[in-house]
Amino acid sequence: MAAGAETRAATGSRATGRVVGSWRAAWLRVEAHWTWYRRYWRSSLYSSGLQPVLFLAAMGLGFGSQVEAGPATGGLAYVHYVAPALLVAGAVQNAIGESSYPVLSGFKWQQDYYAVTATPVTAGQLLGGQIIWIALRVGIACVVYTLVALLFGAWLNAGALLVVPIGVFAAVACGAAIMAVAATTYNEGERFAAIFRFLVMPMILFSGTFFPIEQIPAAVRWLAWISPVWHGTELARGVTLGGLDVWPALGHLTFLGALLGVSAALARRYFYRRLVV
Amino acid sequence: MSGETADPRTAAPTVTAPMVEAKALVKRFGDVEAVRGVDVQVRTGEAFGFLGPNGAGKSSTMRMIASTSPRSDGDLRVLGMDPDLDGPRIRARLGSVPQQDTLDTELTVRQNLQIYGRYFGLSRAEVRRKATELMEFAQLSDRADDLVDALSGGMKRRLTIARSLVNDPDVLLLDEPTTGLDPQARHMLWDRLFRLKAGGVTLIITSHYMDEVEQLCDRLVVMDDGRIVAEGSPSELIARYSTREVLELRFPPGEQGGVADRVAEFGERVEELPDRVLVYTGDGERALEQVHGRDVRPVSSLVRRSTLEDVFLRLTGRTLVD
Ligand SMILES: Nc1ncnc2c1ncn2[C@@H]1O[C@H](COP(=O)(O)OP(=O)(O)O)[C@@H](O)[C@H]1O
Ligand SMILES: [Mg+2]
């Protein structure tokens, strides 16, 4: 601060602006999103909060009442089987939604990303803030879901507390990948509709959310193995229902970590390419 | 900063280093060369203009100065620093009004100002105080808690300018500040810019409106096709490239042919535009009498002072706004 004032006096500068640290800059973006969210959270209530809860009620309690506890569900009631998976699926869907059109808008319609990068905040910090914000936002939705699921009696033990960070981890890894896509989208975002339909929807249906992937024909089962939702679901079930060994758990974490790392690196490159031209 | 080694910036306090210094500045987008070797120096406290038609390379130049766009070639110093190395530090001391407003339309006027101020490291208390002050300055106080979406074009533009002032910038960059605004909104904006200039802010303005540049700028460069074609104060440029007065002659459609040749001797120079003939002369009224004496009968005629528009026409053979 003192050095800044000295330089200012020496150069006759009247400016009050200064460069903030990278984490601080990313956090300032989170603050900006929070300001927006305080005003608009109600309109996102359905997609981020209510939808997974409705699924839990319909699938876990309704449909689940017709499902006999068996080897596939680890001998447990269906609601216990499906609750952690629905959290992961909902979190991923939420993050993908928030990383598509809203991010494209920052580049294309609202163009507020260009306003931000005209300040001391850089494109990389902007991206960091976006990722942290999505983690927070998805986290809020996951906590709400977890509490409602508690009322439904969906949790068997305190392992449920770990489901939230697992869901957020899987969600953010997918979100970062979609941000990289958004940063390279120049049209109206038609590709997002295709991604939702042909990628996200099948991923949620065939990643072991509702039934074990062993039911999928062996020839296409590998598709589930490369699905981040499946890795997240395996972890989430592992911590709530047990039966997950250390090595597979590390494998799932590594897969999601690698997806996040690669996606964030690509997104960073594309953010710079788009914003610093 | 030790007291022993003289800082070049403090060594001679009366001679301040230029705010912006560009030498042979180039910007390429793939095969397109948008800026082709621009040299400019902007001094402390002056209002400097880039005048040129659409596509001249004004915005590309401005973005390089704003340190949001890396240069392709040449040398650039902003506030004595190199944007390639010190982008964030430069941007901390700049204000930037881009050609597009880039406001957050889903937030209020006040929120836009406060959030933006935070990016410059200002505290919550500081941005609160500053937002109130800037809304006053931009005459938006009564709209403080309205969504930006609901504002008129002129109000949005004023808000963008207010936003750019949140860090009390040393240099304010304005890219086409009044394009698309009605005359009243333009004059109101000009008034705000005059106040800033009086307050010691260095202004850099691009425009394709000659009246805007003539009104606001102490010095300007005329830009065309990525190059600077002339430099000076508005009056210097008019004196150098045009005459004191201009006689404009308009004819019914199809009857303008051959007129230029017939009236050529009554002015220092004659220009033929699609809809009128311009006679450049020191005395427009006399030239008009002579034109009438030659039995040339325009449907309307007008004697006016030369403007930067005439300078541009002289230099490029084209009009600024078509
Ligand atoms: N991001 C970009 N990518 C490709 N070409 C660009 C880009 N920005 C500007 N140009 C081109 O550079 C030239 C100069 O544009 P610009 O600097 O916007 O001029 P002005 O602001 O004077 O209208 C134009 O031909 C324009 O199409
Ligand atoms: Mg422009």
Side-chain angles (χ1 to χ4, degrees):
Chain A
M1 276 314 271
E6 203 175 288
T7 317
R8 216 170 288 147
T11 55
S13 171
R14 61 196 279 283
T16 52
R18 61 185 174 84
V19 181
V20 298
S22 284
W23 286 105
R24 176 119 192 92
W27 188 253
L28 290 172
R29 282 297 296 161
V30 173
E31 278 187 20
H33 286 295
W34 179 251
T35 305
W36 178 90
Y37 188 70
R38 270 199 337 238
R39 192 178 190 108
Y40 295 99
W41 63 273
R42 285 173 210 86
S43 58
S44 66
L45 201 58
Y46 176 76
S47 60
S48 59
L50 214 53
Q51 196 186 3
V53 167
L54 287 181
F55 261 84
L56 182 65
M59 300 307 293
L61 303 178
F63 175 75
S65 68
Q66 306 300 306
V67 179
E68 259 184 68
T73 64
L76 297 165
Y78 190 65
V79 68
H80 302 309
Y81 177 78
V82 85
L86 281 175
L87 179 140
V88 173
V92 166
Q93 235 178 329
N94 190 354
I96 287 178
E98 289 307 319
S99 307
S100 58
Y101 292 106
V103 171
L104 179 57
S105 174
F107 293 113
K108 190 182 166 79
W109 298 303
Q110 192 103 286
Q111 300 195 351
D112 52 319
Y113 285 0
Y114 292 94
V116 175
T117 49
T119 75
V121 177
T122 65
Q125 294 159 355
L126 172 77
L127 170 67
Q130 194 76 40
I131 293 177
I132 296 170
W133 165 243
I134 289 194
L136 270 179
R137 186 164 173 183
V138 168
I140 294 169
C142 286
V143 167
V144 171
Y145 170 91
T146 305
L147 293 176
V148 176
L150 186 68
L151 298 180
F152 289 1
W155 307 122
L156 290 171
N157 53 48
L161 289 173
L162 279 177
V163 180
V164 172
I166 290 168
V168 169
F169 189 34
V172 163
C174 295
I178 298 298
M179 283 182 211
V181 174
T184 51
T185 299
Y186 289 85
N187 59 18
E188 303 299 307
E190 290 86 357
R191 55 163 70 158
F192 292 131
I195 288 174
F196 296 150
R197 264 176 229 151
F198 302 116
L199 209 66
V200 179
M201 218 40 212
M203 187 165 80
I204 281 164
L205 289 175
F206 301 103
S207 292
T209 311
F210 302 105
F211 58 88
I213 61 164
E214 284 70 29
Q215 302 302 313
I216 301 173
V220 290
R221 200 175 298 155
W222 61 272
L223 282 170
W225 296 339
I226 58 164
S227 156
V229 174
W230 178 68
H231 292 280
T233 298
E234 284 295 294
L235 285 166
R237 279 211 182 100
V239 296
T240 49
L241 311 183
L244 180 64
D245 291 330
V246 171
W247 287 111
L250 283 177
H252 298 310
L253 283 172
T254 307
F255 180 94
L256 293 177
L259 178 62
L260 176 58
V262 171
S263 301
L266 278 179
R268 187 173 189 280
R269 172 191 295 199
Y270 297 145
F271 266 54
Y272 271 97
R273 197 173 285 174
R274 183 113 182 220
L275 294 169
V276 184
V277 286
Chain B
M1 225 172 268
S2 77
E4 302 288 279
T5 47
D7 184 337
R9 288 167 302 189
T10 52
T14 45
V15 186
T16 40
M19 286 292 194
V20 176
E21 184 162 35
K23 285 185 195 137
L25 188 61
V26 172
K27 183 68 194 184
R28 279 183 288 267
F29 298 103
D31 295 335
V32 180
E33 206 169 28
V35 178
R36 316 173 170 217
V38 158
D39 297 87
V40 285
Q41 272 204 5
V42 181
R43 302 175 203 129
T44 306
E46 78 176 332
F48 188 90
F50 287 90
L51 177 68
N54 277 327
K58 304 183 298 293
S59 295
S60 304
T61 306
M62 283 295 251
R63 286 200 301 266
M64 287 190 278
I65 297 173
S67 307
T68 58
S69 164
R71 62 183 181 270
S72 308
D73 216 332
D75 201 30
L76 178 62
R77 290 285 175 280
V78 182
L79 301 166
M81 293 178 272
D82 181 343
D84 283 352
L85 306 175
D86 272 322
R89 276 178 61 202
I90 295 171
R91 295 197 298 270
R93 289 172 52 193
L94 290 184
S96 181
V97 176
Q99 196 168 342
Q100 308 266 313
D101 277 327
T102 68
L103 293 163
D104 202 324
T105 55
E106 293 178 343
L107 296 179
T108 65
V109 169
R110 189 195 305 278
Q111 285 169 334
N112 264 276
L113 293 171
Q114 293 189 349
I115 288 173
Y116 206 70
R118 300 279 287 150
Y119 301 144
F120 290 89
L122 304 180
S123 72
R124 279 174 210 281
E126 281 170 322
V127 294
R128 260 199 303 274
R129 188 184 53 73
K130 199 70 200 171
T132 306
E133 175 194 319
L134 288 172
M135 286 188 294
E136 194 69 38
F137 172 79
Q139 296 195 344
L140 289 168
S141 302
D142 53 334
R143 308 298 298 262
D145 298 309
D146 289 358
L147 290 184
V148 168
D149 214 15
L151 301 185
S152 71
M155 290 179 189
K156 282 186 185 147
R157 208 62 186 144
R158 269 174 4 236
L159 177 56
T160 303
I161 292 177
R163 185 180 69 174
S164 72
L165 294 169
V166 78
N167 58 331
D168 290 306
D170 292 321
V171 182
L172 180 59
L173 306 171
L174 300 132
D175 196 357
E176 310 251 3
T178 67
T179 297
L181 299 187
D182 60 59
Q184 199 198 340
R186 293 181 79 199
H187 282 281
M188 173 148 177
L189 260 177
W190 288 350
D191 171 65
R192 303 291 117 167
L193 297 179
F194 276 125
R195 289 188 200 197
L196 289 173
K197 186 167 174 269
V201 184
T202 306
L203 301 178
I204 305 180
I205 301 163
T206 79
S207 185
H208 63 261
Y209 296 123
M210 56 86 195
D211 53 342
E212 182 153 272
V213 171
E214 235 168 66
Q215 285 270 334
L216 295 173
C217 297
D218 305 314
R219 221 153 53 83
L220 70 133
V221 290
V222 179
M223 245 186 127
D224 187 37
D225 201 22
R227 290 196 179 82
I228 290 176
V229 290
E231 175 174 355
S233 71
S235 54
E236 272 168 22
L237 287 173
I238 290 168
R240 199 181 319 151
Y241 295 104
S242 192
T243 52
R244 212 172 72 85
E245 292 189 337
V246 187
L247 169 62
E248 293 203 3
L249 303 170
R250 285 177 193 269
F251 296 88
E255 288 179 31
Q256 191 176 297
V259 167
D261 290 333
R262 289 173 61 198
V263 302
E265 64 188 275
F266 305 136
E268 290 175 27
R269 198 163 57 85
V270 171
E271 292 275 0
E272 186 167 6
L273 298 180
D275 61 339
R276 69 209 133 118
V277 173
L278 306 179
V279 182
Y280 288 92
T281 167
D283 185 347
E285 290 301 339
R286 210 177 100 78
L288 182 58
E289 275 169 30
Q290 291 170 319
V291 164
H292 283 151
R294 191 53 64 86
D295 217 24
V296 174
R297 297 271 169 245
V299 279
S300 71
S301 60
L302 162 77
V303 175
R304 60 167 176 83
R305 302 183 70 87
S306 270
T307 68
L308 289 172
E309 181 80 45
D310 301 299
V311 172
F312 188 79
L313 185 63
R314 168 74 189 280
L315 289 167
T316 67
R318 285 177 293 115
T319 49
L320 269 167
V321 191
D322 22 45

